[in-house]
């Protein structure tokens, strides 16, 4: 069964950057991408499952978005709300498919930001993360 989620890709503006360097900052994003904290983000309105979403991002030399701070997460929320004019679920790059409870970002960066209640993996029944944008999060 295909989940009806949209996706958010993130990439560095420079090519050839090692995954461990992805959280280092750059300033130039391709046309149509949004710069947040020195990284480039692109919202893709395609209804795909998590694996298909990650593959789609990879075709754009990116990965599903990783999140590394509360301010970055808030900026991502605002970007999605601005683009969609609505609210809904969006895949991000967190996964624990290799071992339950050990979360990794698909871009290889450290899973260094967690905030209870921010990310959703459907009551621990999925092995991937999505972001659910709700009106109170944006307006609140």
């Amino acid at each position: 069964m295909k989940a009806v989620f949209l996706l958010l890709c993130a990439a560095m503006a420079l090519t050839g950057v090692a995954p461990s360097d992805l959280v280092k900052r750059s300033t130039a994003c391709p046309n149509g991408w949004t710069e947040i904290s020195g990284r480039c983000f692109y919202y893709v309105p395609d209804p795909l499952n998590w694996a298909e979403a990650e593959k789609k991002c990879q075709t754009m030399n990116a990965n599903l978005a990783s999140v590394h701070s509360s301010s970055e997460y808030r900026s991502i929320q605002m970007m999605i709300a601005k683009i969609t004019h609505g609210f809904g679920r969006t895949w991000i790059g967190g996964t624990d498919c290799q071992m339950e409870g050990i979360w990794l970002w698909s871009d290889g960066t450290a899973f260094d930001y967690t905030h209870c209640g921010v990310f959703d993996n459907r009551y621990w029944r999925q092995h991937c993360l999505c972001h659910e944008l709700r009106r109170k999060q944006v307006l609140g």
Side-chain angles (χ1 to χ4, degrees), residues 40-135:
C40 303
F41 292 83
Y42 188 78
Y43 182 81
V44 180
D46 294 346
L48 304 169
N49 66 37
W50 190 93
E52 291 168 329
E54 174 64 16
K55 183 100 171 139
K56 174 86 172 191
C57 290
Q58 289 175 355
T59 67
M60 296 183 284
N61 295 318
N63 293 93
L64 286 170
S66 58
V67 181
H68 300 282
S69 71
S70 59
S71 63
E72 185 175 76
Y73 190 67
R74 179 81 172 149
S75 295
I76 289 169
Q77 288 178 309
M78 297 304 290
M79 182 194 85
I80 293 169
K82 182 179 177 182
I83 292 170
T84 64
H85 304 289
F87 306 92
R89 303 181 82 104
T90 305
W91 289 121
I92 57 177
T95 180
D96 74 342
C97 69
Q98 298 299 320
M99 181 177 282
E100 183 64 33
I102 306 285
W103 288 95
L104 306 168
W105 290 118
S106 62
D107 65 8
T109 58
F111 204 89
D112 55 1
Y113 171 69
T114 57
H115 178 62
C116 190
V118 169
F119 302 133
D120 180 12
N121 73 333
R122 288 290 192 199
Y123 308 104
W124 302 277
R125 291 187 306 225
Q126 292 180 337
H127 298 287
C128 44
L129 292 181
C130 70
H131 153 76
E132 184 167 6
L133 189 60
R134 297 181 183 115
R135 184 169 303 278

